[in-house]
Amino acid sequence: MLSWKLRGFCVNSEQTPGTVEGTCHSPQRNKHKILLPAQSVTCFLLITMPGVNTSSLTPRYFILSGIPGLEAAHIWISLPFCFMYLIAVTGNCGLIYLISHEEALHRPMYYFLAMLSATDIFGCNTIVPSMLCIFWFNLKEIDFNACLVQMFFIHMLTGMESGVLMLMALDRYVAICYPLRYTTILTNTMITKVGSTVLIRSVLLMAPFAFLIKRLPYCRGNLIHHTYCDHMAVAKLSCGNIKINAIYGLIAAVLIGGFDMFCIFMSYAMIIHAVVKLSSADARHKAFSTCTSHICAIVITYVPAFFNFFTHRFGRTTIPHHIHIIIANLYLLLPPTLNPIVYGVKTKQIREGVIKLFVRQKDV
């Protein structure tokens, strides 16, 4: 095995531009002259030499490329994203307004729905405005610290959305399996506590992403081939060891997504067990019908998430990079866009609340 002696590297002006001459010491103490790319050797020296401050290798800003390979079509691609954004913000703001003003909707199920809508609104506003600035005005620069803030909120709100869906599954479990104790178990105080717990969990698990990115040295440029600051997309610009970033990303996904999916699965297993025991077919149908909106929300959220995960892990060579970027954006935009539509169509109380609201405004 060969070992490098860092003091042996030197830049020789007589060599080909862009190369560095080095001395390689073998265990037999034989010396071998070699030529290596200057960029990689310089970077290696800066990282491993003691006393070097890696913060000097931190760029002032990053450049978001948008969707690589489809720059000429950015304007046309922006139109469906802009349309989805408007639907998401309008629909979720409308749901929050309706739940807060209609007394019939002052129930735990709708409080959790308001949490989901608020999460979706913040999530959309974290990525879409900057994305549209890239597509419309070619404003691609983002400050390093602003990139870290965007990264934190994207991952934190994604974890929050998963957590709220889990709470909604537990809400359905209590409503169907313990209907007489529903309002005494899920009091306003309890809803506030579990909602705060999910928020704190997301903050604590996602905050380390920013510190893991900030510690890295960057010597591979500052161009991010994405529409937003994704954790691993930024980490891949580093010439340091990013294994811990990848491992922690997987741990956070398992602790949040894995735990939430397990709770959702167990909740619906117990719901099915309780419903099949009901003697009346109408009662079984009514019990299942209260879950359809939530099941649709789960499918809308987790199917794009799984698709995004598997295409990144197993489709790097077979799927074009611009498809990866489009899927990553749809994964974040589809749930906020479709959730208010699903709940508006599938939930009778929300439909009635919308009708009452329009009739009231018409009378005024």
Side-chain angles (χ1 to χ4, degrees):
M1 183 181 291
L2 302 180
S3 60
W4 292 108
K5 191 171 183 179
L6 295 178
R7 290 178 300 175
F9 286 117
C10 62
V11 178
N12 189 335
S13 60
E14 296 178 0
Q15 299 295 335
T16 306
T19 63
V20 172
E21 186 183 80
T23 304
C24 177
H25 296 263
S26 69
Q28 292 77 23
R29 299 193 176 275
N30 295 325
K31 296 184 179 181
H32 309 278
K33 294 267 182 144
I34 64 164
L35 292 177
L36 290 175
Q39 183 181 3
S40 61
V41 174
T42 304
C43 179
F44 183 77
L45 287 169
L46 286 169
I47 296 167
T48 56
M49 283 182 66
V52 174
N53 184 9
T54 56
S55 63
S56 62
L57 291 174
T58 301
R60 288 190 301 107
Y61 60 87
F62 289 115
I63 298 174
L64 296 167
S65 67
I67 302 179
L70 297 177
E71 288 83 0
H74 272 177
I75 294 294
W76 296 106
I77 294 172
S78 71
L79 297 179
F81 283 125
C82 181
F83 184 62
M84 292 170 70
Y85 173 68
L86 293 175
I87 292 175
V89 172
T90 304
N92 286 292
C93 285
L95 273 179
I96 293 174
Y97 177 85
L98 191 65
I99 292 168
S100 63
H101 284 74
E102 285 295 323
E103 195 170 338
L105 300 179
H106 292 178
R107 296 172 58 194
M109 172 184 173
Y110 301 107
Y111 291 148
F112 288 126
L113 178 57
M115 285 186 200
L116 186 67
S117 294
T119 303
D120 287 339
I121 291 169
F122 283 114
C124 285
N125 284 300
T126 301
I127 60 167
V128 178
S130 60
M131 183 199 308
L132 294 180
C133 284
I134 295 170
F135 291 161
W136 291 348
F137 309 114
N138 207 36
L139 299 176
K140 298 182 177 183
E141 291 185 7
I142 182 169
D143 181 77
F144 181 82
N145 290 321
C147 185
L148 295 184
V149 171
Q150 186 190 48
M151 179 196 308
F152 165 73
F153 276 104
I154 287 172
H155 293 297
M156 186 273 287
L157 291 168
T158 302
M160 184 71 185
E161 175 136 4
S162 177
V164 174
L165 286 174
M166 180 264 293
L167 294 180
M168 295 173 82
L170 297 177
D171 166 79
R172 291 298 83 208
Y173 162 69
V174 175
I176 292 172
C177 297
Y178 303 98
L180 299 180
R181 298 172 56 196
Y182 178 58
T183 54
T184 57
I185 294 175
L186 291 176
T187 60
N188 290 345
T189 303
M190 178 59 70
I191 292 169
T192 303
K193 286 181 179 179
V194 295
S196 300
T197 302
V198 167
L199 175 62
I200 292 170
R201 180 193 69 166
S202 296
V203 170
L204 292 179
L205 285 175
M206 297 307 174
F209 282 132
F211 296 104
L212 289 172
I213 288 294
K214 202 171 179 71
R215 73 180 177 87
L216 293 172
Y218 296 88
C219 57
R220 293 179 180 168
N222 62 346
L223 178 63
I224 302 174
H225 295 288
H226 217 301
T227 56
Y228 58 84
C229 290
D230 177 69
H231 171 237
M232 288 308 297
V234 177
K236 287 175 182 177
L237 295 179
S238 171
C239 46
N241 186 358
I242 64 171
K243 182 179 285 188
I244 188 173
N245 294 68
I247 292 172
Y248 186 78
L250 186 60
I251 291 172
V254 171
L255 289 177
I256 291 182
F259 176 79
D260 292 344
M261 286 187 288
F262 173 76
C263 290
I264 290 169
F265 175 79
M266 293 303 297
S267 296
Y268 274 100
M270 289 183 282
I271 287 171
I272 293 170
H273 183 262
V275 170
V276 295
K277 289 183 177 180
L278 297 174
S279 57
S280 170
D282 290 337
R284 289 195 294 269
H285 179 267
K286 185 177 180 180
F288 278 129
S289 66
T290 63
C291 300
T292 53
S293 299
H294 182 247
I295 293 172
C296 290
I298 292 170
V299 172
I300 291 166
T301 301
Y302 284 110
V303 168
F306 278 120
F307 194 68
N308 182 56
F309 176 82
F310 285 115
T311 53
H312 272 281
R313 292 297 182 277
F314 307 110
R316 292 180 182 177
T317 57
T318 56
I319 300 176
H321 188 62
H322 63 269
I323 300 296
H324 285 290
I325 305 302
I326 292 172
I327 291 171
N329 283 282
L330 290 176
Y331 150 63
L332 295 176
L333 270 176
L334 270 180
T337 304
L338 296 180
N339 282 340
I341 297 173
V342 167
Y343 275 93
V345 172
K346 292 285 186 181
T347 309
K348 179 182 176 183
Q349 290 84 350
I350 292 178
R351 290 200 308 269
E352 291 175 349
V354 171
I355 294 170
K356 285 181 183 178
L357 186 64
F358 279 109
V359 170
R360 193 182 305 154
Q361 288 182 347
K362 188 177 179 181
D363 292 340
V364 172

